Amino acid sequence: MAEEIIEEKDGNGNFIHDFIDEDIAKDGQFQGKTVHTRFPPEPNGYLHIGHAKAICIDFGTAEKYNGMCNLRMDDTNPTKEDVEYVDAIKEDIKWLGYSWEDRFFFASEYFPEMYKFAVELIEKGLAYVCQLTPEQMRENRGDISHPAISPYRDRPIDESLDLFARMKAGEFKDGTMTLRARIDLESGNFNMRDPVIYRINRITHHRTGDDWCIYPMYDFAHPIEDAMEGITHSLCTLEFEAHRPLYDWVIQNTSVSCKPRQIEFARLGINNTVMSKRKLRTLVDEGYVDGWDDPRMPTLCGLRRRGYTPKAIRSFCDKIGVSKVNSIVDYSFLEHCLREDLNETAQRVMTVVNPIKLVITNYPEDKTEVFQVENNPNNPDDGVRDITFSRESYIEADDFMEEPVKKYFRLYPGNEVRLKSTYIVKCTGCKKDDKGNVTEVYATYDPETRGGNTPDGRKIKGTIHWVDARNAVDAEVRLYDNLFTVPDPDSGDKNFLEYLNPDSLTVLKNCKAEKSLGELTPPQSFQFMRLGYFCLDNKDSKSGKPVFNRSVSLKESFKKK
Ligand code: ATP
Ligand code: MG
């Protein structure tokens, strides 16, 4: 098999689209046909950011060619599958903004046809019932210099037809017989060494129940599923490249009415996380995270709860491009794409996560002033809102130092700072408890500086955020860090769980937010000034008791490099 030389392209084309252009061109194999793709998840877990890449490629390609993309649950493997997963998969794809319209299928619907195509292969002398046990089959696989062996290869067609019918009827025990495609026991591609295409497996299937005790293998089932749905281009990940000759063989040798073309692209990997559904399930089942939608998970529901937007994820998938080389993308690139989106759209508000009281001693006790502030300076259309200011505010504890370190421009006795959008205040001191902890900070304000301007032009180096104590709501804020401490938790000698980051979640319980933030319904994203982008948690927030997740910091942190 000659290897194609693939050149990576940027912009709006990629090698998949080049292949499709060839295929639909005049004289191409799909000349005049509508481009038809599919996304075929196995419903055994929630979708993750890797799936998002596949979804963007499958649905995005269909969109580009004004074609169609099916959603197919690849449920030919009769393991435990759950409607919970099916529903979640649909929800996530819709959330990303793609539609399969009325083309939603289960691969198990095609079991009867798959059986017929298997019989067809036997009749053509292209498949036979083999009685090697799985162990014997392994022993007889051969190697590069030795062919595989099956003593059943030349079994008469009638005998195989009879045995296959009886396999289906349940006459034989699990593992005693298989149906194998009769291809080439000497092939350098081991997938072609008379691969098993049906096995006996008495497991109740979540949709077909106990109708079947034989189940087709993926490599046989998948091309038939594609052909039955009229798929023109079956886009999949790189690990299927060596299976393509078998895919083509099934298409060529059965009387399917459509001849789809398989094209492979690189899997997406992201550092400091795991992407296999089995491992993600372990994290959930063993309680290391708070469900599939834990904001630290790379699942789409986790990213959504973290505050990721469909736009940010689609932009990420677009920018990483489509290539033939597996690679690991830095998590910070995903964050970059989110920041780009939220910078445009998120309302700016003030929230104090580690509060301490600031008392403006020369401000009247019964007075409250209203200031009008812009919701988003990047987006004047987002309008303005009113915030209140009075004698007592909350500020961040670390915005005050009794004895300032070098280059500290925030509050310390004698220094002036700007309270964002309101006044310039001058620190006059603080109060401490018995243990010497600061409990209140004192300052005076300069009434001439309303709006934060200095009429005399004096320079104010620091600006800090604050929340009016009279109009504050208590909030919980959750900060997240990498779920794993190493870039590739899968590749170490140890179990991936040993690389879990014990500090991946920090909960701040006593935060103070602008009052309007107490009565919201998700989804809502904000920029907490100076702190980062946050979203209202869609599970744990209650009226008057908001919980916010940090979606991403304001700037990239350099700790990773
Ligand atoms: P897992 O290893 O987590 O079980 P999978 O490949 O078995 O993943 P499927 O449900 O079969 O998961 O995936 C559906 C589709 O999504 C497949 O076409 C698969 O190639 C694609 N896909 C899965 N993971 C990735 C990834 N990391 N990057 C790109 N595409 C992916
Ligand atoms: Mg799979």
Side-chain angles (χ1 to χ4, degrees), residues 316-416:
F316 170 78
C317 292
D318 194 43
K319 286 178 177 156
I320 56 173
V322 183
S323 86
K324 273 275 189 187
V325 185
N326 281 330
S327 65
I328 304 287
V329 177
D330 207 288
Y331 200 93
S332 62
F333 189 63
L334 182 58
E335 294 190 317
H336 164 80
C337 294
L338 178 61
R339 213 177 271 125
E340 256 187 352
D341 184 23
L342 294 180
N343 185 34
E344 292 301 313
T345 58
Q347 183 185 338
R348 273 62 172 166
V349 295
M350 293 196 280
T351 294
V352 173
V353 294
N354 187 13
I356 190 167
K357 265 275 178 68
L358 171 70
V359 183
I360 311 293
T361 49
N362 63 339
Y363 197 89
E365 255 180 73
D366 52 358
K367 186 173 170 179
T368 290
E369 272 179 275
V370 175
F371 288 82
Q372 206 171 55
V373 293
E374 272 182 306
N375 283 326
N376 185 350
N378 285 349
N379 216 342
D381 292 346
D382 285 356
V384 292
R385 74 182 186 290
D386 291 338
I387 55 170
T388 61
F389 177 75
S390 58
R391 184 179 160 94
E392 296 190 354
S393 301
Y394 293 104
I395 59 168
E396 299 291 348
D398 66 4
D399 281 339
F400 170 78
M401 283 188 102
E402 197 176 12
E403 283 164 34
V405 293
K406 239 181 160 182
K407 295 206 171 161
Y408 187 84
F409 301 120
R410 293 170 275 167
L411 286 170
Y412 57 86
N415 193 41
E416 282 192 313

Side-chain angles (χ1 to χ4, degrees), residues 484-531:
F484 293 92
T485 52
V486 293
D488 186 358
D490 276 334
S491 73
D493 317 330
K494 293 188 269 182
N495 182 320
F496 75 107
L497 293 170
E498 301 205 17
Y499 299 107
L500 272 168
N501 177 4
D503 302 317
S504 59
L505 169 65
T506 306
V507 180
L508 303 170
K509 291 258 183 206
N510 304 309
C511 309
K512 304 285 180 185
E514 289 181 29
K515 195 165 195 173
S516 61
L517 270 57
E519 304 298 334
L520 300 167
T521 42
Q524 294 267 356
S525 281
F526 299 94
Q527 184 193 98
F528 289 176
M529 282 177 182
R530 297 174 67 217
L531 299 178

Side-chain angles (χ1 to χ4, degrees), residues 24 83 100 104 120 223 270 279 284 305 328 334 352 362 372 379 385 391 427 435 468 505 517 526:
I24 59 176
V83 278
W100 54 90
F104 173 68
E120 180 188 354
I270 292 196
K279 289 186 175 142
V284 174
R305 191 169 167 200
I328 304 287
L334 182 58
V352 173
N362 63 339
Q372 206 171 55
N379 216 342
R385 74 182 186 290
R391 184 179 160 94
C427 183
K435 292 180 194 121
D468 181 12
L505 169 65
L517 270 57
F526 299 94

Side-chain angles (χ1 to χ4, degrees), residues 39-42 48 50-51 53-54 237 265 267-268 275-277:
F39 174 64
E42 195 178 336
H48 52 59
H51 292 116
K53 173 178 174 178
T237 34
F265 57 87
R267 260 183 122 75
L268 167 68
M275 213 90 100
S276 113
K277 278 185 277 188

Side-chain angles (χ1 to χ4, degrees), residues 76 107 110-118 198 216 220-221 224-225:
T76 52
Y110 312 133
F111 281 158
E113 287 80 4
M114 290 172 188
Y115 180 77
K116 278 188 213 146
F117 288 125
Y198 261 94
F220 173 70
I224 292 175
E225 294 157 24

